Amino acid sequence: MRDAAIDTLPGIGPVTQSRLADAGILTVGELRSMGSVEAYRRLKFMLPRQVSLNALYALEAALRGCHWLDLPQDVKTALQQQARIIDEAFRRGGVTRCSL
């Protein structure tokens, strides 16, 4: 499954697949290795106005094999915090590493 195409994950449609490919993320293994937060950071850098918190939820849910609405609240809270850190770094013009 590590070398499987990214669109084999649940909830990853053609738009997300294309955006991930543009960010150099082509396989499930690549996404798993970097994690949802780093993938979100890359997408946000490329498309700051088009990539929202829902994209981060969708990436995390895809890695967990569930729908983003089914993510536990504590996971959503942690993801929200990471998204705020990333968003603030972009507003300041800096790039940050995520801790999740």
Side-chain angles (χ1 to χ4, degrees):
M1 175 99 172
R2 290 191 63 80
D3 291 332
I6 204 79
D7 66 342
T8 61
L9 289 173
I12 301 294
V15 172
T16 302
Q17 179 186 10
S18 175
R19 289 177 177 174
L20 289 170
D22 289 346
I25 306 165
L26 303 173
T27 68
V28 173
E30 290 169 343
L31 181 58
R32 281 198 195 289
S33 291
M34 76 176 54
S36 61
V37 174
E38 176 59 19
Y40 170 80
R41 188 190 66 76
R42 291 182 185 194
L43 294 176
K44 192 72 172 175
F45 177 77
M46 292 172 23
L47 303 162
R49 296 187 193 281
Q50 297 164 324
V51 175
S52 69
L53 178 60
N54 281 350
L56 179 54
Y57 287 164
L59 291 168
E60 181 65 25
L63 289 173
R64 291 172 179 251
C66 67
H67 190 278
W68 72 268
L69 290 172
D70 296 327
L71 288 171
Q73 187 56 49
D74 63 322
V75 171
K76 287 181 182 178
T77 300
L79 293 173
Q80 290 166 7
Q81 181 180 18
Q82 291 301 307
R84 276 194 298 275
I85 290 168
I86 291 166
D87 292 348
E88 182 58 33
F90 282 119
R91 278 193 288 281
R92 287 191 319 263
V95 178
T96 185
R97 295 218 178 237
C98 302
S99 62
L100 184 66

